[in-house]
Amino acid sequence: MQPEIQNNPRFFPWFEDFIGAIDGTHVRASVPIEMQERFRGRKDKTTQNVLAAVDFDLKFTYVLAGWEGYAHDSRVLGDALRKGFKVPEGFMPPFRRVRYHLKEYIDNPPENEQELFNLRHSSLRMCIERAFGVLKKRFCVLDAEPFLSYETQVDVVLACCVIHNYLRGVDPNDAITQEADLEVETHDIRKSLTRKEIREETKECVKKRNSIALAMWNAYKKHRTN
């Protein structure tokens, strides 16, 4: 069990089986002019769309780099699944069309079990935002205009993730990590919930999520009234 969950009453026992998070990010890419339209991602720059999974130690457990910046996340995930990436059984996305992002709750606490679940789900999911933040701050080459072949650019992303994992084992709280964490905390991260819809929700997953949310909400209300 993850100590970040076991030692925090906001998460335990509700999320005791959670092992990490999955999402995508964009890094700069340089491609021939005839290919650039397919690689135009965010802010009209050419990028590659990188899918990654991380654990709560901010270590990358899976990385798929190389997709065009224009590619939808669902296509990238589909490719990862075909290549052998295994989504853990019981993958649990947040409730759709329900408040999710942390800053919405500063002066506006959750009003029901779905909002409380999404709030705490968001807190746990920040591990992947933090991992991406540390990775890009440590390896500025990922946001610089590349001059290597595209195949090498893809390899550079993978190499940076490997080195990142090694450095997390050496000093998990170095100055770069602290600086990146501060930047993540001060930015309002607004992403469409569809980016988190890894696959169609099964009835079993929905039932389990509803059960967790209700139990969490009952404990939350009891704590507030005591």
Side-chain angles (χ1 to χ4, degrees):
M1 184 183 300
Q2 301 288 334
E4 293 84 356
I5 294 176
Q6 185 177 14
N7 300 329
N8 192 326
R10 294 177 63 239
F11 304 136
F12 183 83
W14 328 114
F15 298 105
E16 60 181 320
D17 295 327
F18 279 37
I19 59 174
I22 180 173
D23 204 352
T25 191
H26 287 246
V27 300
R28 293 292 301 275
S30 179
V31 294
I33 191 169
E34 64 271 14
M35 298 173 57
Q36 289 184 0
E37 193 61 32
R38 293 189 291 118
F39 281 81
R40 293 203 183 280
R42 301 170 182 173
K43 301 180 181 179
D44 202 38
K45 295 179 179 178
T46 52
T47 64
Q48 56 169 301
N49 192 343
V50 180
L51 174 75
V54 303
D55 60 22
F56 292 115
D57 292 327
L58 307 192
K59 292 183 178 180
F60 291 96
T61 57
Y62 180 86
V63 180
L64 175 62
W67 269 88
E68 306 96 319
Y70 186 76
H72 193 276
D73 289 345
S74 61
R75 289 187 61 202
V76 182
L77 176 61
D79 185 42
L81 294 173
R82 286 189 296 272
K83 291 179 176 176
F85 175 60
K86 301 294 184 183
V87 177
E89 183 178 352
F91 171 83
M92 195 168 295
F95 287 97
R96 303 179 188 179
R97 294 180 290 277
V98 176
R99 292 190 301 169
Y100 183 78
H101 298 284
L102 291 172
K103 288 197 174 183
E104 297 179 21
Y105 293 91
I106 293 178
D107 298 312
N108 196 3
E111 298 177 354
N112 54 54
E113 66 269 20
Q114 293 186 358
E115 290 188 353
L116 179 63
F117 179 92
N118 279 8
L119 170 62
R120 295 184 177 177
H121 185 285
S122 174
S123 297
L124 281 178
R125 188 194 163 279
M126 287 297 291
C127 64
I128 196 158
E129 301 294 345
R130 293 174 61 207
F132 285 147
V134 174
L135 183 74
K136 291 183 177 182
K137 183 166 287 292
R138 189 183 304 280
F139 302 104
C140 298
V141 65
L142 298 177
D143 276 330
E145 185 69 37
F147 58 88
L148 304 166
S149 69
Y150 188 67
E151 291 76 11
T152 302
Q153 294 172 50
V154 174
D155 289 340
V156 166
V157 173
L158 301 177
C160 288
C161 292
V162 171
I163 299 173
H164 164 91
N165 282 1
Y166 171 77
L167 294 176
R168 290 293 302 168
V170 173
D171 187 359
N173 197 34
D174 63 5
I176 291 179
T177 299
Q178 294 181 40
E179 186 178 348
D181 280 350
L182 182 61
E183 291 185 3
V184 169
E185 290 174 2
T186 55
H187 280 74
D188 189 8
I189 302 169
R190 300 277 175 175
K191 289 189 177 182
S192 168
L193 287 182
T194 58
R195 292 176 62 85
K196 307 174 187 72
E197 295 166 9
I198 303 302
R199 58 184 179 184
E200 183 179 359
E201 298 174 36
T202 64
K203 291 182 179 179
E204 182 180 354
C205 174
V206 171
K207 183 178 179 180
K208 182 176 181 180
R209 182 180 60 190
N210 291 345
S211 176
I212 291 174
L214 182 59
M216 188 189 304
W217 178 247
N218 288 336
Y220 174 76
K221 289 192 298 181
K222 182 178 179 180
H223 176 74
R224 294 192 67 181
T225 55
N226 288 342

